[in-house]
Amino acid sequence: MIVKVNEKIAIEHGLKKDEYKKICDLLKRTPNITELGIFSAMWNEHCSYKSSRLHLKKLHTKGKQVIQGPGENAGIVDIEDNDAIVFKIESHNHPSFIEPYQGAATGVGGIMRDVFTMGARPIANLNSIHFGSPDHEKTKNLLRGVVKGIGGYGNCIGVPTIAGQTCFDDSYNGNILVNAMTLGLVNKNKIFYSKAAGINKPVIYVGSKTGRDGIHGASMASAIFDDKIEEKKPTVQVGDPFTEKLLLEACLELMAGKSIISIQDMGAAGLTSSSIEMASKGDLGIEIDLTKVPCREENMTPYEIMLSESQERMLIVLEEGKESEAKKIFDKWNLDFAVIGKTTDSKKIELFFENEKVAEIPINFLAENAPMYDRKWIKAKLPKENNFTKDQFKSLKLSDCLKKVLVDPNIVDKEWIWDQYDHTVMGDTIQKPGGNAGVVRVHGTNKAVAAAVDSSATYCHAHPLTGGKQVVCESWRNMISVGAKPIAITNCLNFGNPEKEKNMGEFVECVEGITEASKYLNYPVVSGNVSFYNETKDKGIKPTPSIGGIGLLSDYKKMITMELKNDGNYLYVIGKTEGHLNQSVFARNILSKFTGPPPEINLFNEKQNGMCILNLKKENLIETCHDVSLGGILTAISKMSIKANKGVKLFSIDGLVNKFEYFFGEDQGRYIVEIKPENLENFENMLKKDSIHFDKLGVIEGNKIMYGNDLKISIDDIRKGYKNWLKEFMVN
C-alpha cells in the first residue's frame, strides 16, 4: 500500500509543521513515506540535538590527554604506554520505562557497541539509574526489571559492572532514567572512526538480521509520555548479549587487519543514522540496495528496514577487494555479512529496493540542514536561605537523626543491586562497587583506571548553575578519593521538555556550570548524550545531568579505599565545614525543609583540596580516604565504620557551627582521611604549607561511634538499617 505523505502524517512522525514545510522546500517536492521516515529519524531531538547543539558547543572539551572529543561514537583519552581509554555514557530512559528489562539490557548493549566500534575491548560497565518514590506503585517492578536487564546483558557478554548509582525521587514517578556507561581499552595507534572515505568502497552490513523491533525508537525517545504509553512497547528493541559477544569478537578480529576504512554502530535510528553519519562525516554519498539487507521477517518495506532498531548490527566501509577475507571472519562467528551498497561522490543517500529507487536525499539536508533552535529560557534565581533556629534543634538527638539519615533511600547501601552484576569477570577488577569509585586494572600491568558516575538532581533543581558545577566536582572527588588523577568526563544530560522556558533554562545553566567546573579542574568533557522530553502528562523530571568520570592510577597497589584501617589512627576532615543544611538530606528528612539554595561551590578550594590529597598519597601519609557528600560528615564516618566494623571517638567541635550543622551539613570540597599517629606532624605541616583548612575529627577505637555525652551508638545498630533497607524494600 502506498502511503501519501501530508502534514498530518509528518506531525504523527514527530515533526513540527514548519519542519515539514522546510523538508518540502529543501526537496522542492513532497517526500515519500520512506524519505519522511528518514527525515523524522534524523531531525528528531535524539539524533539531531536540535535544542541542545547551540549550548553544547560551549562545553570544555580540550585537554592534553584528549585524543577524541565529542562528535564520534565515544570519547578517547591517552593513559600512557600507547594505551587509551574509550568511554561514553548514554540514556535509554523511555524504553526502560515502557519495558524495563529489554530497555535496560539494550541500553547496555548499545553503549558497548559505541565503544568497541572504535576498536576498543570493553573492560568495565557502570550505570546511573533513577526511580520514582519508593511509595509509588510502579517503582519496585521498574527497579527489579532494570537491574535484571543491566545484569542480564552485561553478565552474559562478560564485562564487569564496577560502579554506579541508584536514586529515588518522586519526579521520576512517570519517567525513570537509565544511563549506561562503558569503558574500553585500545592501542592508541589502532583506533577506528566512523568517517567514510573513498569512492566506490563497499558498504557492509554485519551482525544480526533486521526485524521490526525498535521502529521509531529514536522518535519515541524524543517524545513526551501520555496515557497510551503501553502502545509504545513495539518501539522497544530486543537484545541478545550472546550475539553481541560474537559481534564484538568478529569486529575486533577484523580490526586487527587493515581492511576497515570506517565503522559505525547501528544504534538510534538504525541503518538510517549509521549510513548518513558515515557519509556526512566523509563528505560523500552512499548508495544502498535494501533488497540485500538480511531480514528476519517477511515482506519488510524500505521504510521498516531503514528505521528498524534491531540490535547487534554494524555498518562497515571496507577497502575494495577485502570482502571475501572479511566475510570469512563473520562466517566463522556465525554472523550475517552482506555487501549492501557503496560510497559515491553524489553527496546523497540513494536507496534502491527491488530494482526501484525508493529514496534520494542530499546528505546535507539531513545533517547540516537539520533544525537548530535557540529556545527561550529563564534564568534561575538563587533561592533564599532557610534560617534554622536553635529551637528547631532542641529536641533532636544525634543518634536518632543519624539512624534516620542512614535509611534515606538515596544513602542506603545498594548491595542488593550490584550483587546481581558480575563485577569480577575478566579478573581485573581492583575495587568493586560500594566504594568511592570502581577501579579496573589495565590487564597485565600495574596501571589501573578508576571510574564513577554521579548526579545531583536536588541541587540542580534548586539552582541549576551551582548544581552543574557540583556534579562535576563530586566526580572529581570520587577519583581523588581512590588516589587516581582525574582525566576526563562523559555526560548524560537528562531534562524535561525543552519547549518550556524553565526546563530549557535548567539545561542551559547546568551546561554552564558543568563547563565552568570542568575547565577550572582541567577535567574535560569528551563524549555524552542529551535526553530531553523526560516528562509524563506535563510533569517533568528534576534536571539530572549524570557525570561519568575516569581517572588514572599509575600503580593500583597504591589505591586508597574508604574503610577504616587501624585502631589508634586519627581521622581528619580536609576542607572547611560551615554547616550548610539547605537542600541537605538532614533538612529534608529531619526538619521537613525542602527549600533553600544548594551548597556553594568554591572551585579554587576544590582543586587545592583535591591536589593536596594526591600529594599526601604520594608521600604515603594517608591510610583511608572518603569524600564527604550526601548526609555530611557523620554519614561519611558511619559508612567508613560499617565497612570496617570499627568505631570512632569524635572530638569536640570548635567554632560557631552547632553539632547538627557540623555533622550533617553538606558543604562541598571535603574529604575524611585516616592518619597514623607517627605521620601527624608531617601531615599537618603539608596542609599548613598549602593553606588547606583541616579539622582533627577523632580517633578510631572500639565498636561504637561516640561524641561526648551526645552520641554513643554501636556499629551493629546503624548497620541494620543502612545495609538492609533496600533488601527489605524489594522483598516486602
Side-chain angles (χ1 to χ4, degrees):
M1 185 183 76
I2 296 172
V3 178
K4 194 171 180 183
V5 171
N6 55 35
E7 188 183 89
K8 180 175 178 290
I9 288 174
I11 290 169
E12 287 170 0
H13 276 70
L15 292 160
K16 307 290 185 190
K17 283 184 184 180
D18 58 338
E19 290 173 349
Y20 174 64
K21 182 179 182 302
K22 183 179 178 181
I23 290 166
C24 294
D25 290 345
L26 285 168
L27 291 174
K28 296 185 170 57
R29 59 179 171 83
T30 302
N32 64 38
I33 190 64
T34 302
E35 291 169 332
L36 182 74
I38 290 169
F39 270 105
S40 76
M42 293 306 295
W43 282 19
N44 68 45
E45 196 73 60
H46 193 75
C47 293
S48 73
Y49 290 79
K50 58 190 174 186
S51 298
S52 58
R53 281 203 324 270
L54 188 71
H55 303 284
L56 295 176
K57 290 175 182 177
K58 301 169 189 171
L59 287 169
H60 173 61
T61 60
K62 307 288 185 190
K64 281 184 183 177
Q65 289 171 266
V66 177
I67 296 172
Q68 175 64 54
E72 259 295 342
N73 287 298
I76 310 177
V77 293
D78 190 333
I79 60 163
E80 302 163 9
D81 312 309
N82 278 335
D83 291 326
I85 292 293
V86 179
F87 72 112
K88 187 183 182 183
I89 189 170
E90 214 168 50
S91 63
H92 228 222
N93 303 336
H94 285 50
S96 299
F97 187 67
I98 296 167
E99 213 298 294
Y101 183 91
Q102 289 296 349
T106 52
V108 173
I111 195 64
M112 281 200 274
R113 287 194 302 280
D114 279 341
V115 166
F116 75 72
T117 193
M118 302 198 75
R121 179 173 289 280
I123 58 170
N125 286 332
L126 300 89
N127 56 73
S128 173
I129 52 180
H130 295 69
F131 299 91
S133 164
D135 300 328
H136 192 268
E137 58 184 4
K138 286 189 174 182
T139 296
K140 263 186 215 182
N141 284 337
L142 287 168
L143 175 58
R144 189 174 285 113
V146 164
V147 170
K148 280 187 176 178
I150 292 169
Y153 208 101
N155 295 355
C156 288
I157 203 170
V159 175
T161 299
I162 63 166
Q165 68 162 167
T166 305
C167 301
F168 298 89
D169 186 275
D170 60 10
S171 78
Y172 309 113
N173 283 348
N175 203 122
I176 65 172
L177 303 182
V178 175
N179 297 173
M181 176 176 166
T182 294
L183 280 64
L185 179 68
V186 69
N187 182 304
K188 71 176 186 181
N189 300 313
K190 291 289 286 181
I191 296 167
F192 289 83
Y193 297 96
S194 59
K195 179 182 175 180
I199 308 300
N200 290 322
K201 302 294 183 184
V203 175
I204 317 293
Y205 172 114
V206 298
S208 291
K209 288 180 167 59
T210 294
R212 290 188 171 93
D213 54 318
I215 293 171
H216 289 306
S219 300
M220 177 267 291
S222 306
I224 295 168
F225 284 154
D226 53 28
D227 292 322
K228 297 177 181 176
I229 186 173
E230 289 299 315
E231 296 173 16
K232 298 183 188 288
K233 279 197 175 178
T235 62
V236 178
Q237 311 92 327
V238 177
D240 179 357
F242 299 106
T243 301
E244 176 127 338
K245 174 64 174 170
L246 300 178
L247 184 61
L248 162 65
E249 298 301 340
C251 286
L252 292 180
E253 186 174 335
L254 182 61
M255 287 166 169
K258 294 184 177 178
S259 58
I260 295 177
I261 295 172
S262 65
I263 181 167
Q264 175 77 36
D265 158 44
M266 287 192 222
L271 185 53
T272 291
S273 63
S274 55
S275 58
I276 290 163
E277 284 175 20
M278 290 172 95
S280 174
K281 286 174 184 173
D283 198 24
L284 297 170
I286 193 163
E287 186 179 292
I288 296 174
D289 183 350
L290 296 175
T291 318
K292 294 179 179 177
V293 172
C295 293
R296 66 168 184 262
E297 297 185 50
E298 292 182 2
N299 303 317
M300 286 191 72
T301 64
Y303 175 94
E304 291 171 327
I305 293 168
M306 286 303 288
L307 295 186
S308 166
E309 292 187 13
S310 294
Q311 296 291 284
E312 295 87 40
R313 304 178 301 157
M314 308 284 262
L315 201 62
I316 300 172
V317 177
L318 274 185
E319 291 287 2
E320 286 174 89
K322 298 287 186 180
E323 296 94 325
S324 60
E325 184 186 315
K327 187 175 187 304
K328 280 180 189 173
I329 292 172
F330 285 88
D331 284 349
K332 183 181 91 171
W333 291 100
N334 199 25
L335 294 165
D336 276 286
F337 178 100
V339 180
I340 64 168
K342 63 182 180 181
T343 58
T344 69
D345 60 2
S346 70
K347 298 190 179 181
K348 295 177 180 178
I349 181 168
E350 297 171 279
L351 303 179
F352 295 83
F353 186 68
E354 295 178 349
N355 298 316
E356 281 186 36
K357 186 178 271 194
V358 293
E360 182 177 358
I361 309 171
I363 296 287
N364 69 345
F365 289 4
L366 297 161
E368 297 97 283
N369 279 284
M372 182 166 75
Y373 296 123
D374 184 3
R375 297 198 185 277
K376 290 181 179 177
W377 58 278
I378 298 170
K379 191 174 179 66
K381 292 178 181 175
L382 191 67
K384 288 182 181 177
E385 294 266 358
N386 284 304
N387 293 315
F388 299 106
T389 62
K390 286 182 181 178
D391 289 345
Q392 290 173 283
F393 301 108
K394 265 185 183 176
S395 60
L396 300 178
K397 290 184 179 176
L398 275 177
S399 57
D400 294 341
C401 294
L402 177 59
K403 283 182 181 179
K404 196 166 182 181
V405 166
L406 285 175
V407 294
D408 180 283
N410 293 322
I411 285 178
V412 293
D413 185 79
K414 304 299 192 301
E415 188 175 356
W416 180 88
I417 292 170
W418 58 256
D419 204 33
Q420 297 180 57
Y421 307 147
D422 190 335
H423 38 268
T424 58
V425 64
M426 297 174 79
D428 283 317
T429 303
I430 305 301
Q431 186 162 168
K432 64 184 185 180
N436 293 305
V439 180
V440 62
R441 183 179 61 155
V442 175
H443 191 71
T445 73
N446 279 354
K447 197 164 53 177
V449 178
V453 63
D454 298 281
S455 69
S456 184
T458 301
Y459 293 168
C460 290
H461 183 63
H463 192 244
L465 179 65
T466 304
K469 284 192 268 190
Q470 189 277 336
V471 71
V472 174
C473 293
E474 174 73 15
S475 174
W476 161 273
R477 289 196 296 270
N478 283 332
M479 298 303 107
I480 298 284
S481 296
V482 295
K485 178 194 170 193
I487 298 177
I489 57 178
T490 179
N491 61 32
C492 193
L493 307 175
N494 307 278
F495 290 81
N497 183 351
E499 296 164 51
K500 294 180 178 177
E501 293 180 13
K502 182 178 181 291
N503 290 352
M504 194 63 209
E506 290 172 339
F507 175 80
V508 172
E509 293 199 271
C510 276
V511 168
E512 191 181 327
I514 289 167
T515 302
E516 194 179 325
S518 65
K519 193 169 188 178
Y520 193 91
L521 298 173
N522 191 23
Y523 200 31
V525 180
V526 297
S527 60
N529 169 234
V530 177
S531 175
F532 277 134
Y533 297 100
N534 290 290
E535 203 157 297
T536 298
K537 298 182 190 173
D538 215 34
K539 180 169 171 52
I541 63 163
K542 286 180 179 174
T544 313
S546 296
I547 299 289
I550 69 162
L552 181 65
L553 282 149
S554 54
D555 184 354
Y556 74 85
K557 293 173 185 172
K558 294 182 178 177
M559 176 185 73
I560 310 170
T561 56
M562 65 178 273
E563 67 273 11
L564 300 177
K565 301 299 186 299
N566 292 306
D567 286 6
N569 286 350
Y570 289 87
L571 294 184
Y572 281 73
V573 181
I574 291 178
K576 193 165 187 185
T577 301
E578 294 179 334
H580 187 98
L581 287 182
N582 286 287
Q583 295 299 333
S584 68
V585 174
F586 180 87
R588 292 196 300 277
N589 290 4
I590 310 297
L591 304 176
S592 298
K593 290 280 187 184
F594 300 90
T595 58
E600 182 190 345
I601 303 297
N602 184 315
L603 292 172
F604 176 82
N605 288 346
E606 283 285 357
K607 195 167 190 176
Q608 287 285 95
N609 296 352
M611 297 315 292
C612 172
I613 296 284
L614 293 184
N615 289 333
L616 290 165
K617 178 220 168 198
K618 202 180 290 181
E619 298 297 323
N620 296 317
L621 292 176
I622 51 179
E623 308 303 304
T624 299
C625 182
H626 184 35
D627 67 306
V628 181
S629 56
L630 285 185
I633 286 173
L634 202 48
T635 301
I637 288 171
S638 298
K639 290 181 180 181
M640 296 165 83
S641 292
I642 289 167
K643 258 187 174 290
N645 199 30
K646 288 183 179 294
V648 174
K649 181 183 176 184
L650 296 162
F651 300 146
S652 60
I653 304 163
D654 294 324
L656 302 173
V657 181
N658 77 37
K659 61 190 176 188
F660 295 100
E661 291 171 322
Y662 186 84
F663 284 130
F664 294 107
E666 294 182 9
D667 306 86
Q668 299 294 291
R670 297 178 299 161
Y671 304 82
I672 295 175
V673 293
E674 175 184 343
I675 313 295
K676 289 178 179 176
E678 61 267 31
N679 289 332
L680 291 186
E681 188 178 348
N682 287 341
F683 167 78
E684 290 195 4
N685 286 341
M686 275 187 73
L687 292 170
K688 288 170 184 172
K689 180 172 166 267
D690 291 335
S691 302
I692 303 288
H693 185 94
F694 64 90
D695 297 332
K696 199 170 186 178
L697 189 60
V699 64
I700 301 170
E701 65 174 44
N703 60 0
K704 293 182 174 68
I705 296 177
M706 297 185 290
Y707 178 67
N709 296 321
D710 294 312
L711 178 66
K712 188 178 285 187
I713 192 164
S714 73
I715 304 305
D716 285 342
D717 202 6
I718 56 172
R719 178 187 284 110
K720 287 172 191 170
Y722 173 72
K723 295 288 280 186
N724 296 338
W725 184 90
L726 187 57
K727 292 175 189 173
E728 290 172 0
F729 169 69
M730 293 308 296
V731 170
N732 295 333

